Amino acid sequence: MANTIPCDGLTFSLYKDADKMMMYESYYRDGAWDAGQLVPFHPIELSPAANILNYGQGIFEGMKAYRTVKGKIVLFRPEKNAQRFVRSSEKLAIPSIGEERYLQAVKEVVLANQRFIPDSADGRCSLYIRPVCIGIEPLLGVRPSREYLFYVFASPVGPYFEKVGVVRLMVMDVHRAAPNGTGDAKAACNYPVTMRPKVEAKKQGFDDVLYLDPIHNRFVEEAGAANFFALMENNVLVTPKLGSILPGITRESVIQLARDRFGLEVQERELDVQEVCERAKECFLTGTGATITSVESIGWNGQEYNVNRNDFQLAHRLYDELLGIQLQKKEDPYGWIVELT
Ligand SMILES: Cc1ncc(COP(=O)(O)O)c(C=O)c1O
């Protein structure tokens, strides 16, 4: 296809020519957001005392724009990300940009960067969109900023995990989020704690960390940037209940597809890691980056458990359904797809 970039060689990282792309920015000062505008991708100048640099008052989102088999450029359930962004703002005492402004900014960025949306018939590559909002006021005492920057940039990306489609997860003695904390918001502060465990897991040959709840150190929460599902031996699909995990939009979509398309019973409940390791037939991760990624094994309690006793079948079928809708290869009875062109 003309005027696009090739999918081959793209990984989940910032594009080498990001500085040739457009971004959107809007400032909040004196109690109001300015009109906002599209500008070339550029560095941001901040005071060394800016809230975000010292106290981390920042939130973000992650979405993808796809070039579909119908030749359209589409977003997947963007209003859900807008709603989550507003909820994350509230949680961190950030003045909300509002769902409408958020959606408008995302659309403008996608349309301005059309030529960077990779051509990918199998959906492995797409344009990743990153809306962010940060407190930029210089301050010393701990309090919410009175000035903010909302911006949206984008990058063509390939698959999130280096090994496409299958990962090994490691349970570690680190917790990602506390009850009544910020785990259910897409807040920048949730991620630094995952850096060291991820490095350690990789050193030991795993791809990511599987986090357990911080009270009992027993119930599965989620991976570093993806939600977790286990198909149990009685063919019930179980996913950890909401609370301190991120309410993933892929998670919500997969629950609906599993029920509607495959007639599966889906339970959102506490999921004991021992139950998963010993009795799950199949496990997988869901997320905008991860799409649906099968879990081959889980390292827990000094052992590595093979949790693939189903030949990854359900993950493959769900992947085909989800990608089928996202790439307009399949009907979209839910109205999940928003066409931008
Ligand atoms: C911690 C965490 N959990 C889950 C997810 C999956 O959420 P979504 O499906 O909305 O992308 C993400 C983001 O991708 C995440 O950062």
Side-chain angles (χ1 to χ4, degrees):
M1 189 182 289
N3 294 328
T4 64
I5 58 166
C7 174
D8 278 354
L10 285 178
T11 59
F12 198 87
S13 53
L14 187 66
Y15 188 51
K16 60 176 174 45
D17 288 332
D19 59 348
K20 300 195 173 65
M21 299 178 70
M22 296 298 283
M23 64 183 274
Y24 178 96
E25 65 182 18
S26 177
Y27 284 87
Y28 180 93
R29 288 195 183 103
D30 302 323
W33 289 101
D34 69 13
Q37 59 179 340
L38 278 175
V39 289
F41 184 91
H42 67 95
I44 299 166
E45 193 170 307
L46 289 176
S47 161
N51 184 318
I52 183 67
L53 299 180
N54 293 262
Y55 302 125
Q57 191 189 14
I59 56 167
F60 64 100
E61 267 302 326
M63 315 167 63
K64 280 177 176 172
Y66 301 91
R67 193 181 289 282
T68 74
V69 294
K70 290 189 183 165
K72 305 259 180 204
I73 293 168
V74 304
L75 294 170
F76 181 70
R77 309 187 79 180
E79 72 291 347
K80 288 272 164 192
N81 295 86
Q83 288 160 8
R84 191 168 65 188
F85 197 69
V86 168
R87 283 201 310 274
S88 299
S89 314
E90 284 162 4
K91 196 131 202 185
L92 270 81
I94 293 175
S96 168
I97 186 88
E99 289 174 32
E100 263 177 48
R101 284 277 317 269
Y102 172 100
L103 290 170
Q104 187 57 33
V106 166
K107 284 178 192 168
E108 283 184 27
V109 168
V110 173
L111 292 176
N113 291 302
Q114 281 188 50
R115 69 190 174 95
F116 295 99
I117 305 180
D119 192 13
S120 174
D122 60 4
R124 268 188 321 119
C125 295
S126 54
L127 185 75
Y128 187 78
I129 307 148
R130 173 52 61 83
V132 180
C133 189
I134 52 174
I136 56 172
E137 188 195 355
L139 43 71
L140 276 184
V142 178
R143 64 163 171 79
S145 177
R146 293 192 194 106
E147 294 173 6
Y148 294 86
L149 170 60
F150 167 72
Y151 60 94
V152 182
F153 67 95
S155 173
V157 293
Y160 184 80
F161 288 107
E162 284 154 30
K163 271 190 292 163
V164 181
V166 185
V167 291
R168 296 164 66 208
L169 299 179
M170 183 179 176
V171 174
M172 293 178 74
D173 253 353
V174 182
H175 299 109
R176 181 188 165 274
N180 302 318
T182 53
D184 60 340
K186 211 157 163 73
C189 63
N190 292 332
Y191 295 83
V193 70
T194 68
M195 307 284 165
R196 191 191 59 77
K198 184 150 185 177
V199 170
E200 186 55 37
K202 286 202 149 201
K203 251 193 224 159
Q204 298 194 35
F206 291 87
D207 301 286
D208 204 352
V209 178
L210 183 62
Y211 290 95
L212 301 184
D213 80 281
I215 297 179
H216 311 89
N217 197 31
R218 188 173 140 194
F219 300 113
V220 174
E221 297 238 302
E222 60 186 320
N227 294 112
F228 184 86
F229 283 80
L231 179 67
M232 302 308 295
E233 55 196 351
N234 54 2
N235 269 341
V236 174
L237 185 61
V238 184
T239 192
K241 64 182 171 49
L242 297 180
S244 54
I245 62 170
L246 192 78
I249 292 153
T250 322
R251 173 188 180 278
E252 187 184 314
S253 311
V254 161
I255 290 174
Q256 187 148 10
L257 288 175
R259 285 183 178 141
D260 294 359
R261 302 283 171 104
F262 303 126
L264 282 174
E265 183 185 338
V266 185
Q267 294 176 352
E268 295 175 68
R269 63 162 168 89
E270 282 177 337
L271 182 57
D272 195 316
V273 65
Q274 184 167 359
E275 180 187 0
V276 173
C277 286
E278 292 175 358
R279 300 215 304 275
K281 268 169 80 170
E282 184 179 338
C283 299
F284 55 86
L285 299 175
T286 65
T288 299
T291 317
I292 296 177
T293 299
S294 293
V295 178
E296 183 178 359
S297 64
I298 298 176
W300 171 64
N301 221 6
Q303 276 193 59
E304 187 166 353
Y305 293 83
N306 171 15
V307 289
N308 168 36
R309 304 173 180 104
N310 200 33
D311 209 15
F312 309 128
Q313 278 183 57
L314 180 59
H316 285 161
R317 290 167 67 200
L318 282 165
Y319 182 93
D320 285 346
E321 286 297 323
L322 183 68
L323 255 291
I325 293 174
Q326 288 171 337
L327 298 177
Q328 296 191 304
K329 289 180 182 168
K330 296 198 178 206
E331 282 286 290
D332 170 25
Y334 309 109
W336 284 347
I337 293 301
V338 174
E339 292 181 352
L340 300 188
T341 57

